[in-house]
Amino acid sequence: MEVIFLLILISLIVAGAFLGAFIWASRSGQFEDDYTPSIRILFPDEKDQNT
């Protein structure tokens, strides 16, 4: 029974770490540009322009 409580505690700590990482990423602007990745394939690469 003690093992179950230990596993629940560890899983809550891991879940809290992932939640903290998600909040940090969203506050630092990691998810703000959702338009450019979908059209990036349409633009030529810089190395293709030099050849």
Side-chain angles (χ1 to χ4, degrees):
M1 194 69 173
E2 295 174 6
V3 174
I4 293 175
F5 292 131
L6 180 66
L7 289 174
I8 290 173
L9 178 65
I10 291 172
S11 67
L12 288 175
I13 291 171
V14 170
F18 279 111
L19 180 64
F22 175 74
I23 290 173
W24 171 78
S26 62
R27 284 190 180 178
S28 67
Q30 294 290 321
F31 303 113
E32 297 212 359
D33 188 14
D34 58 349
Y35 179 68
T36 304
S38 63
I39 63 167
R40 187 175 296 151
I41 191 87
L42 301 175
F43 299 132
D45 292 338
E46 291 180 12
K47 64 180 179 181
D48 290 340
Q49 292 175 356
N50 294 331
T51 58

